[in-house]
């Protein structure tokens, strides 16, 4: 497919990060793979399975506080059905995070702990590598675990630029790495979803087109949220995504001279409302029986 979402997105530092992960795997006991709970498959780097191989792994569905809770539970079961230990996390508050992570580590490293105990080796601080695509919330996750601003945070991709070790109360040692994306988006749908959440820099995208596509998703499963948030009429649910954006623009007063809707301004409002969860807890994909990692 030849379209604006099939992007080449593999700058030099991301290639360097991939090599960094491969080179440092031997230094860690477990890999913590963060994904966005709103799009658990689309926000996974498909190269990760090859990169980490048989290294013990825990998938963390981050930003679960702004995802559809019922679907988050389905995704947790999805990963566990594939023998991948998975937990959900709210990195903004950190509620229950340490306990959930402790339990998951005991499960995935049970064999190692047993071997070490048999050999009389005293348990040391568990060394973990934290990986994930840009803007998935790695820095916020690390800061919640450490209880301090150990990693830089931001609402745009690419904040973390180099690896860094972060010690947590003698119990864990975390290796943070820059976010990595794959060389090319083979799936246009995945690229759109990542763009919705801010995982691709907005400067290289058409924000109006992005808002139209997002409205197309929301109309299917979260129309009630749109009606409530923007005080729309029930009849608006019959509008197509282009007409719907105009209706939202009029409700929000985004009208320019001549009575036309400022579609650019309206588009930015819709994207912002989705990312800040003003539209409610929304998940953009649901696991299917035939879904593959």
């Amino acid at each position: 497919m030849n379209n604006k979402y099939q992007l080449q997105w593999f700058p030099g530092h991301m290639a360097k990060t991939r090599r960094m992960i491969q080179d440092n795997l031997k230094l860690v006991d477990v890999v913590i793979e963060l994904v966005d709970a709103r799009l658990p498959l689309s926000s996974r780097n498909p190269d990760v399975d090859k990169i980490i191989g048989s290294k013990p792994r825990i998938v963390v569905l981050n930003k679960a506080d702004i995802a559809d809770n019922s679907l988050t539970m389905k995704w947790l079961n999805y990963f566990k059905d594939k023998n991948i230990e998975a937990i959900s996390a709210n990195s903004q508050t950190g509620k229950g995070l340490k306990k959930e992570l402790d339990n998951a580590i005991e499960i995935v490293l049970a064999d190692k702990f047993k071997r070490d105990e048999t050999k009389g080796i005293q348990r040391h601080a568990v060394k973990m590598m934290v990986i994930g695509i840009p803007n998935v919330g790695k820095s916020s996750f690390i800061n919640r675990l450490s209880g301090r601003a150990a990693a830089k945070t931001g609402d745009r991709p690419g904040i973390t630029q180099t690896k860094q070790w972060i010690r947590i109360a003698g119990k864990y040692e975390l290796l943070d790495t820059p976010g990595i994306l794959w060389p090319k988006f083979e799936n246009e749908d995945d690229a759109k979803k990542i763009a919705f959440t801010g995982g691709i820099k907005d400067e290289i995208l058409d924000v109006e087109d992005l808002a139209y596509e997002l409205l197309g998703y929301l109309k299917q499963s979260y129309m009630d949220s749109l009606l409530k948030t923007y005080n729309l009429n029930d009849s608006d649910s019959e509008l197509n995504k282009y007409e719907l954006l105009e209706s939202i623009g009029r409700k929000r007063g985004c009208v320019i001279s001549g009575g036309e809707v400022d579609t650019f301004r309206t588009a930015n409002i819709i994207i912002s409302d989705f990312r800040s969860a003003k539209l409610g807890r929304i998940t953009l994909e649901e696991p299917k029986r035939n879904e593959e990692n």
Side-chain angles (χ1 to χ4, degrees), residues 246 250 254-262:
E246 287 213 1
R250 293 190 185 283
C254 300
V255 180
I256 55 180
S257 59
E260 292 186 9
V261 171
D262 185 338

Side-chain angles (χ1 to χ4, degrees), residues 123-286:
R123 185 181 294 196
H124 59 74
V126 174
K127 292 183 172 62
M128 305 186 294
M129 179 186 292
V130 182
I131 64 174
I133 71 170
N135 208 43
V136 79
K138 291 191 298 90
S139 297
S140 295
F141 172 83
I142 290 170
N143 290 342
R144 284 300 169 190
L145 281 181
S146 65
R148 56 192 171 89
K152 294 180 181 179
T153 62
D155 59 358
R156 56 189 174 85
I159 294 295
T160 305
Q161 297 295 329
T162 60
K163 74 172 184 179
Q164 56 180 330
W165 282 101
I166 300 168
R167 298 180 184 275
I168 301 178
K171 192 172 187 178
Y172 302 128
E173 290 186 16
L174 292 175
L175 178 60
D176 186 20
T177 60
I180 53 172
L181 279 176
W182 43 99
K184 187 177 183 179
F185 289 113
E186 298 293 347
N187 187 315
E188 177 189 354
D189 198 47
D190 290 347
K192 288 178 183 177
K193 292 173 186 175
I194 292 170
F196 295 156
T197 61
I200 299 173
K201 294 179 180 179
D202 290 334
E203 303 93 272
I204 65 175
L205 299 170
D206 184 325
V207 68
E208 291 180 51
D209 183 64
L210 196 63
Y212 288 135
E213 294 300 318
L214 177 58
L215 286 175
Y217 277 102
L218 298 179
K219 265 179 57 64
Q220 296 178 27
S221 302
Y222 297 96
M223 191 63 210
D224 287 346
S225 295
L226 290 174
L227 295 175
K228 181 178 179 180
T229 302
Y230 298 116
N231 194 28
L232 301 174
N233 301 316
D234 289 340
S235 59
D236 287 326
S237 60
E238 302 300 322
L239 300 178
N240 63 39
K241 58 189 178 183
Y242 304 103
E243 296 167 333
L244 188 56
L245 185 139
E246 287 213 1
S247 182
I248 291 171
R250 293 190 185 283
K251 286 289 186 179
R252 283 300 171 94
C254 300
V255 180
I256 55 180
S257 59
E260 292 186 9
V261 171
D262 185 338
T263 54
F264 179 76
R265 181 182 168 197
T266 306
N268 276 286
I269 289 174
I270 294 168
I271 295 296
S272 176
D273 287 348
F274 167 72
R275 292 177 181 172
S276 64
K278 289 182 180 178
L279 289 172
R281 300 179 64 162
I282 291 172
T283 296
L284 297 173
E285 55 191 20
E286 184 173 353

Side-chain angles (χ1 to χ4, degrees), residues 106-126:
E106 290 297 324
I107 292 172
V108 299
L109 295 181
D111 290 343
K112 169 184 166 50
F113 292 152
K114 187 174 182 180
R115 287 196 305 271
D116 288 349
E117 185 179 355
T118 301
K119 296 177 182 179
I121 300 175
Q122 186 175 5
R123 185 181 294 196
H124 59 74
V126 174

